Amino acid sequence: MDSTRVTEHPTSFDRPSTGADPTDPRGALLPAPVPPRASGSALPAQGRTGETPPTAGEDSPGVFEHSQPGAEQAAEPDTHRPRPGAEGVPVQPDGGQPDGGQAGGGQPGGVPAGAAPRVAPSDGSALDGMPGGGQAAEVRPGSEVPAGATDRRDAPAEPDRRTGQPTAPGQPTPMRRDGDRLRFVGAATRRIARGMDLDEIVMGLCRATVPTFADAILVYLREPLPVGDERPTGPLVLRLRRTDRIPAERDTEGGFAPAAQPEPSELETVGAELCEVRPGSALAEVLRGVRPVFTDTPAARAALPELLGEERDFALPDGRRAILAPLRGRRRVIGAALFLRGPERIPFEADDLLVAAQLATHSALGIDKAVLYGREAYIADELQRTMLPENLPRCTGVRLASRYLPAAETARVGGDWYDAIPLPGSRVALVVGDVMGHSMTSAAIMGQLRTTAQTLAGLDLPPQEVLHHLDEQAQRLGTDRMATCLYAVYDPVSHRITVANAGHPPPVLLHLGGEAEVLRVPAGAPIGVGGVDFEAVELDAPAGPTLLLYTDGLVESRLRDVWTGIEQLRERLAATAQLTGPDHPPPLEALCDEVLDMLGPGDRDDDIALLAARFDGIAPSDVSYWFLDPEDAAPGKARRLARRALARWGMEDLTDAVELLVSEVVTNAVRYASKPVTLRLLRTDVLRCEVGDDVPQLPRLRQARATDEGGRGLYLVNRLARRWGATRLSTGKVVWFELNRG
């Protein structure tokens, strides 16, 4: 969902207070009336039907259920789910005991025998811990009043403890204790601080304040949000990020604006989605002041039309029923929050400005940190994405699939990598490595080692020589730069694979018949140890098997050792191969998914790199290979040999192009070569021609002048071939080109 859309997100609700009218507009603000009890009997505390009431010492959020005995006799059904009180704001009756706690001689929720029934005082101290207060509880009409008890239904109104003015029965009264505000601020800031990303923090602010502190809230954030110390460019634009309010169906005695129809809700008519703060405007001055202000002040009243829109300012209630609080991060204002109270609720007081300031400060600092965390996560994702190959190459005679999983959501980067590098002669190098640790440093070292491996592979060095040079590179990076690596070269023509290992888990070969075999490869020492020789082994790789290269995160965890994990991997591969039968190997992508499914909940201790290679090979009948002496007759002989091979393969339509290109490349080779020149044709999905010699200098494509007698060979190759290239070998070079089959 688009996070910038203007949507209304009501908070989760709890059951209404027993005895409260579900259609009453004050909803959860009404405490339940306390029915009388018979003299001499204890009044047990009860919660919801079928639930056990909380006892002392239980881990409760601080706001207890408002259900009272006799709740099952309520006349009307439970049609609404009003919001619970804020976390950590207990009800404060006269005795200072939270509602639902023990009172009166240690009886749970009871009243001592012969004492008057507990009735919420009119000063609001027995309300549900909300700064806005609620209505004093009354004894229901028609209920009995025990002997010796005082029926307060006809009692005169008690004066307000602060103003001295009488308070009419049923009128909402404010919270009288500063401790209640402190408890609310503490619970609210804890809820806000629990958020990790931007949406969680904004939602925490809304859920903590509605309906405990306000009946509705609008949260505006800067668009776009600045990150860290960067200076924002362009004008200051505020976007309505989130709104929250008491449900409209419960607000039947008046609201912020009269609604002609239930949908859209009244709150959607209050705020504009986007507003630009003009320099020197009233809104800019209020935001620059940083401190929350009542909207009945001249400055705030002039700023509201700019924030909400000129045509929607009328929707705000009159008096001190709205607070505009700027959200200031570490260096600048990043938004604003508007707290609203309806006409049926008492206005905000001066102390509520301090509450709004605390909420705004904690929210702004949390948003600042969330933006920084989001930027770091983005950088980590981009770093890891660029360190690994974006797409695996399409190599002749082998199919590839891969997977990468980070160690955890909070550790997005690591030192594991995989790679597939095309080599001359249709060969391919398969590499998988693991740098110790999973951090930015490990990822940076991994990137350097992967680049080094690609460079060494381009030189067509033997696998053991590649590991030797990687070991030297790791020592140059630092004394504590350790890594494991497995380097293998697959030749689809000879159907052989050469493997060298540097302290890495051995690969697993899944045969066509369904048998999974752990290859016996010398373990070797990790890269970075120094002074260690690496050994390579050459193994058969017939068409059909699948080679699986992986890092230790797949087979090792706190719950199992590496060899137990390798055995489980082998069994999983064998079981997967049995599902497709002995003549049909499992699809590579599905095989990778099945391998990762073997991981249990506690097996993700390290990041995982997985590379699967299906060996298809090239049939001997699709390969033609010759040696040509470096003499003047070599180009003519190469044309005749190529013509015969194309005729045997039924590709006569390519004869003219192949003869021309082969003649040009062979002529260039025999001009400088001192040893026999090799010529090889391979028939796969394309026709590939390779010419090798013992001269290490690579040819360059250049534009020949009109007076030049030569220099147009590679120009013809570049124009006629599908693609071409030149690769330096340890014994010389190979120039190759490819043509599409007709």
Side-chain angles (χ1 to χ4, degrees):
M1 184 179 65
D2 189 359
S3 60
T4 63
R5 291 183 58 190
V6 182
T7 53
E8 180 177 342
H9 302 270
T11 58
S12 58
F13 298 118
D14 207 340
R15 293 183 178 273
S17 302
T18 306
D21 187 354
T23 63
D24 193 293
R26 286 159 295 211
L29 306 183
L30 292 175
V34 182
R37 68 172 182 84
S39 176
S41 63
L43 183 62
Q46 297 182 6
R48 302 176 187 167
T49 304
E51 293 185 359
T52 304
T55 60
E58 290 186 355
D59 185 13
S60 62
V63 178
F64 302 91
E65 294 286 348
H66 297 282
S67 305
Q68 299 294 336
E72 65 278 7
Q73 299 178 4
E76 299 187 18
D78 180 12
T79 58
H80 298 282
R81 294 175 60 82
R83 302 166 183 253
E87 178 183 355
V89 186
V91 176
Q92 296 297 326
D94 285 339
Q97 297 287 342
D99 188 12
Q102 293 188 359
Q107 297 294 334
V111 179
R118 295 175 59 187
V119 180
S122 60
D123 63 354
S125 59
L127 303 182
D128 57 353
M130 302 173 62
Q135 189 179 22
E138 302 179 23
V139 180
R140 286 190 174 186
S143 60
E144 294 186 6
V145 180
T150 302
D151 187 354
R152 299 186 58 180
R153 288 174 291 179
D154 300 329
E158 297 184 4
D160 189 294
R161 294 183 180 179
R162 294 188 177 184
T163 63
Q165 301 295 329
T167 303
Q171 178 182 350
T173 56
M175 184 181 298
R176 300 306 181 194
R177 294 179 176 85
D178 292 337
D180 296 336
R181 281 192 174 86
L182 292 177
R183 281 189 291 273
F184 164 71
V185 171
T189 52
R190 286 195 301 272
R191 188 166 192 171
I192 294 170
R194 282 199 297 262
M196 288 291 294
D197 58 23
L198 182 62
D199 291 333
E200 289 179 352
I201 293 172
V202 175
M203 181 183 295
L205 172 63
C206 295
R207 296 291 173 86
T209 55
V210 178
T212 308
F213 181 68
D215 294 334
I217 183 175
L218 289 81
V219 180
Y220 289 83
L221 293 182
R222 192 165 188 156
E223 180 73 18
L225 281 168
V227 180
D229 297 334
E230 69 180 21
R231 298 180 63 87
T233 59
L236 172 58
V237 177
L238 297 181
R239 180 181 293 275
L240 183 60
R241 184 80 182 196
R242 187 179 179 89
T243 63
D244 206 354
R245 64 158 295 149
I246 297 176
E249 61 269 16
R250 299 187 54 82
D251 195 6
T252 59
E253 290 186 1
F256 308 111
Q261 53 186 4
E263 296 292 341
S265 67
E266 298 168 3
L267 184 58
E268 294 180 3
T269 67
V270 174
E273 180 181 358
L274 200 68
C275 75
E276 180 178 340
V277 182
R278 298 183 299 272
S281 63
L283 180 57
E285 294 300 325
V286 172
L287 295 179
R288 186 179 295 110
V290 177
R291 297 175 181 268
V293 294
F294 292 117
T295 56
D296 62 347
T297 61
R301 178 57 66 179
L304 287 179
E306 185 178 354
L307 180 65
L308 304 178
E310 297 288 346
E311 70 282 1
R312 296 173 180 174
D313 184 32
F314 74 94
L316 285 179
D318 297 329
R320 292 190 170 184
R321 299 185 179 277
I323 294 178
L324 179 59
L327 302 178
R328 179 175 178 83
R330 295 184 304 164
R331 294 183 179 273
R332 59 186 63 87
V333 173
I334 60 174
L338 184 62
F339 304 94
L340 303 171
R341 283 188 182 176
E344 76 283 358
R345 194 167 177 180
I346 61 173
F348 287 109
E349 299 178 350
D351 290 344
D352 292 328
L353 290 178
L354 300 177
V355 175
Q358 288 290 326
L359 297 177
T361 300
H362 282 271
S363 301
L365 293 177
I367 291 172
D368 251 359
K369 294 178 181 178
V371 172
L372 286 173
Y373 174 77
R375 173 60 64 89
E376 291 182 359
Y378 170 78
I379 293 174
D381 289 340
E382 287 297 305
L383 176 63
Q384 189 66 61
R385 184 183 62 82
T386 55
M387 290 296 182
L388 298 176
E390 185 174 357
N391 295 305
L392 293 174
R394 296 177 58 89
C395 302
T396 303
V398 61
R399 285 173 286 171
L400 303 171
S402 62
R403 293 290 187 274
Y404 176 81
L405 292 178
E409 187 66 21
T410 55
R412 298 170 182 261
V413 294
D416 292 15
W417 91 90
Y418 61 88
D419 211 343
I421 308 169
L423 299 178
S426 299
R427 296 171 300 155
V428 58
L430 307 174
V431 190
V432 63
D434 182 7
V435 178
M436 304 302 179
H438 37 80
S439 62
M440 289 286 192
T441 303
S442 301
I445 297 173
M446 177 266 286
Q448 298 181 69
L449 293 180
R450 177 173 177 249
T451 302
T452 304
Q454 289 179 332
T455 304
L456 296 172
L459 299 176
D460 197 27
L461 298 178
Q464 64 272 21
E465 291 296 325
V466 172
L467 294 183
H468 174 72
H469 289 293
L470 284 176
D471 179 55
E472 293 180 341
Q473 176 66 13
Q475 295 180 64
R476 285 191 291 267
L477 295 177
T479 57
D480 57 344
R481 308 310 188 194
M482 305 286 290
T484 63
C485 182
L486 190 142
Y487 188 93
V489 175
Y490 170 65
D491 190 342
V493 177
S494 63
H495 298 276
R496 303 283 289 178
I497 184 171
T498 305
V499 184
N501 191 10
H504 204 78
V508 179
L509 185 65
L510 178 61
H511 294 278
L512 189 59
E515 178 187 359
E517 174 189 4
V518 180
L519 298 183
R520 296 184 178 181
V521 179
I527 291 174
V529 173
V532 180
D533 292 333
F534 299 98
E535 182 180 354
V537 294
E538 189 173 354
L539 306 172
D540 289 330
T546 303
L547 183 69
L548 200 71
L549 308 179
Y550 53 91
T551 56
D552 57 356
L554 180 65
V555 295
E556 185 179 19
S557 69
R558 291 171 295 179
L559 305 179
R560 60 183 178 183
D561 61 83
V562 61
W563 288 108
T564 301
I566 292 175
E567 181 63 23
Q568 292 178 358
L569 173 61
R570 189 192 64 80
E571 295 175 355
R572 187 61 175 263
L573 291 174
T576 303
Q578 296 297 328
L579 299 177
T580 57
D583 300 329
H584 301 281
L588 279 181
E589 298 294 337
L591 182 64
C592 292
D593 293 336
E594 286 292 330
V595 168
L596 294 181
D597 286 343
M598 66 177 282
L599 297 172
D603 292 344
R604 290 285 301 279
D605 299 331
D606 197 1
D607 43 343
I608 298 171
L610 178 65
L611 179 63
R614 174 73 43 78
F615 299 147
D616 294 333
I618 300 176
S621 59
D622 293 331
V623 180
S624 295
Y625 192 85
W626 304 279
F627 286 94
L628 302 174
D629 292 329
E631 55 188 12
D632 295 340
K637 185 178 180 180
R639 289 193 295 269
R640 291 192 299 271
L641 295 175
R643 187 184 314 113
R644 294 173 187 173
L646 294 177
R648 185 172 65 252
W649 292 336
M651 303 171 65
E652 290 86 352
D653 55 333
L654 297 179
T655 301
D656 293 338
V658 171
E659 285 187 0
L660 175 61
L661 299 184
V662 165
S663 178
E664 293 294 336
V665 176
V666 172
T667 299
N668 187 72
V670 299
R671 179 178 300 177
Y672 305 102
S674 58
K675 295 181 180 180
V677 176
T678 60
L679 172 63
R680 184 165 71 171
L681 295 180
L682 297 98
R683 182 184 63 169
T684 57
D685 55 340
V686 297
L687 178 67
R688 182 182 177 97
C689 176
E690 299 175 352
V691 177
D693 58 63
D694 60 340
V695 180
Q697 286 79 17
L698 300 180
R700 290 188 302 112
L701 178 64
R702 63 185 181 89
Q703 188 71 31
R705 293 174 296 181
T707 57
D708 291 341
E709 296 182 358
R712 295 177 177 84
L714 288 182
Y715 177 77
L716 294 175
V717 174
N718 184 63
R719 293 299 299 269
L720 298 179
R722 173 177 175 264
R723 62 184 187 126
W724 72 280
T727 305
R728 182 179 285 109
L729 305 178
S730 57
T731 57
K733 68 174 181 295
V734 169
V735 180
W736 56 270
F737 63 86
E738 293 178 352
L739 294 173
N740 291 322
R741 297 178 57 176

